[in-house]
Every structure is written in C-alpha cells, then in structure tokens.
Amino acid sequence: MMLMRYLFVVSLVCGIAEIAHADTDGGIKKLEAGDIRGAVEAFESAYETGDPDGAFYIGRLFEMGLGTDQDMRRAAALYAVASEKGSLKAQNRLGLMYLNGTFVLQDYARAAELICQAAEGGYSNGLFNCGLLYAEGKGVDQDPIKAAGYWQEAAADGHVAAINYLAMAYRDGEGVAADPEEAFRQFSITAAAGNPLGLLEVARAYEAGAGVEPDIAMAYAYANLAAVRGLDEARLLRDRLETRMDPQSLETAQAFSRTWKAVPIGSAG
C-alpha cells in the first residue's frame, strides 16, 4: 500500500513538472507570436503548477517593458520569488542585478552567491558569469583556475561567450597552460558561427601564425567578415593586411569572404 501511494505521488509530481514545462514553453511561443497576455497567463500557470521559471519570465516582461510599463523593482521582486523557489535563470539574473547595483543594493557577495548557485545547477549563463566573478575576484577570491573551469563547463553547452573567454584563457595562459593551438580551435568554433570576436581572433591568429600556419589571405578574409559585423579593429586589420597582398591573393580572400556561410554551434559535421 505504501509503495502504491509512493508511485502515485511520484507520478503526480512528474505530471505537474511536465505541465509546468509545457506552460512555460507555451508562454515563450505566445510571446514570440506577440501574444503578451496569453504569455503571461501561461507563465502564471507554470508557476502555479510548480515551475519557478514562470515567475522569472514575468519578471523579464517587467524588466523589458513588454506589454507593460518598465518596472525594475517589480522585476527584481519576481526574480527574488523565482530564485527562492529554485529558478536558475532567476538566480543568475538577480545576481547580476546585485552585481551592478540595479534597483537593489550593490552587493558582490550576494551576487556571487546567487550567480554561482545557478552555475552549480548547470545553468550555462550562470557558469559563464560565475567564471567572470572568479576571474575578477568580485564576491569571491580571485581564482583564474576556477574561472577557466566554469567556462569549460559552459563552453561544453555551446555558450558563445564562454567559448571565447576559454579561448582567451588558452591564448594568454590564464588559469590553464598557454596553448595557442587550443585557443585557435576554440575561437574557430565561435568564428564558424559568425561571432565577431571569434572571427577577429581567427584573423589575428592567421596573421601571427599563432596556433595555425600563417596565412595572410585567410587573415584578410576573416578580418573582412568581422569588419562587416561592425568591429572597427577588424576593419583596421583588414585594411592593413591589404597593403601586404598581391591582386590574386586579395581576389581569393574576398571570394572566400563572399561565399562563407555561418554554421550554428553544434550543427557542423
């Protein structure tokens, strides 16, 4: 009898979790379709059936002023409610508010507590931000090794900023042994997805021969791709590289840039 009761309770809890998740996903779809009221109703339903992310998403609406006047204090209050119920997204977002002193007291210790709690739950934004805190020594003792470790975890989830920061760690030997080849490999992942910083760093690596054979044409091609995405540093690099190229190499490099297509992270292969 006790076993049957236990199985019933487990089934009920799992069912509630599935309903809550469906409500949250449904709310996001309604939001994308421009149905703000429907999204709020779905998020409220999710929260009431056990998904704290429902409160987080309503908080985001208040923070961004979608369907309502922007109200940062109400957003912070909703993040606090969701955070206490275990929302990793809310823990990270509220932590950032404490970090920046946005409508809450600036408090690095509290920021680190919340953000790194989200990281321990495996939330990729939390992992990335917790890594930043350890890199900068805000709210925690500065520890580049821990920072790199958090970025490695987030990078494994395809977090673009974490991949770039991990690549910089390998490039500069911060928290990990300096490894130009690994730095180039990591930057190449975000470059392939069209990330401006990744493209610029790949261009620099090709120019310097850092972790890859030097290739001025490829350096120009990647700098060209980064420049069109608004990076002034890339434009200056591209123009400087052009002065070192013959017409045929320049034509080849521009053809590469013209036909290049971004591939979302995780879609290659």
Side-chain angles (χ1 to χ4, degrees):
M1 184 67 179
M2 290 296 293
L3 177 60
M4 290 299 292
R5 183 177 180 183
Y6 172 78
L7 291 174
F8 172 76
V9 171
V10 169
S11 175
L12 180 62
V13 169
C14 290
I16 288 174
E18 289 173 1
I19 292 170
H21 183 69
D23 284 341
T24 301
D25 289 346
I28 293 171
K29 289 178 181 177
K30 288 180 183 295
L31 194 59
E32 292 172 345
D35 183 2
I36 304 294
R37 183 173 181 176
V40 171
E41 290 174 353
F43 293 144
E44 286 178 342
S45 177
Y47 180 76
E48 289 168 1
T49 52
D51 185 352
D53 283 345
F56 164 78
Y57 284 115
I58 296 174
R60 286 293 284 167
L61 295 179
F62 278 110
E63 182 174 359
M64 295 184 291
L66 289 178
T68 181
D69 291 335
Q70 188 180 43
D71 190 332
M72 295 295 292
R73 296 190 187 283
R74 187 169 293 183
L78 283 161
Y79 294 150
V81 168
S83 176
E84 289 175 3
K85 296 291 185 180
S87 169
L88 303 180
K89 294 180 176 69
Q91 289 164 1
N92 178 70
R93 189 73 196 110
L94 185 60
L96 291 175
M97 293 181 81
Y98 276 108
L99 182 67
N100 297 317
T102 307
F103 289 90
V104 293
L105 289 173
Q106 189 170 50
D107 186 334
Y108 292 157
R110 181 59 175 152
E113 178 185 358
L114 286 163
I115 290 170
C116 294
Q117 188 175 352
E120 294 306 318
Y123 182 49
S124 59
N125 283 338
L127 288 163
F128 171 67
N129 289 323
C130 186
L132 286 179
L133 294 176
Y134 275 103
E136 298 174 7
K138 287 188 174 180
V140 291
D141 291 335
Q142 191 171 30
D143 190 331
I145 295 176
K146 281 189 176 181
Y150 280 113
W151 293 334
Q152 285 173 331
E153 288 189 59
D157 287 338
H159 193 286
V160 172
I163 296 171
N164 280 335
Y165 270 74
L166 181 61
M168 287 187 280
Y170 279 113
R171 181 194 65 193
D172 302 333
E174 293 285 342
V176 292
D179 187 336
E181 290 80 10
E182 183 61 18
F184 179 78
R185 189 182 77 81
Q186 295 290 340
F187 279 129
S188 295
I189 294 171
T190 61
N195 176 259
L197 178 59
L199 290 164
L200 174 59
E201 290 296 335
V202 166
R204 286 171 169 165
Y206 271 118
E207 181 191 23
V212 65
E213 287 296 316
D215 189 323
I216 297 302
M218 289 299 287
Y220 174 96
Y222 278 99
N224 199 14
L225 290 165
V228 79
R229 287 162 173 78
L231 289 187
D232 287 339
E233 291 177 85
R235 178 179 54 79
L236 293 172
L237 174 60
R238 179 198 63 194
D239 294 349
R240 177 167 56 78
L241 290 168
E242 182 179 353
T243 65
R244 301 167 56 188
M245 299 172 69
D246 58 61
Q248 184 176 355
S249 295
L250 185 60
E251 181 180 347
T252 299
Q254 290 183 352
F256 178 92
S257 299
R258 185 168 56 250
T259 59
W260 178 91
K261 294 184 184 300
V263 179
I265 292 175
S267 298

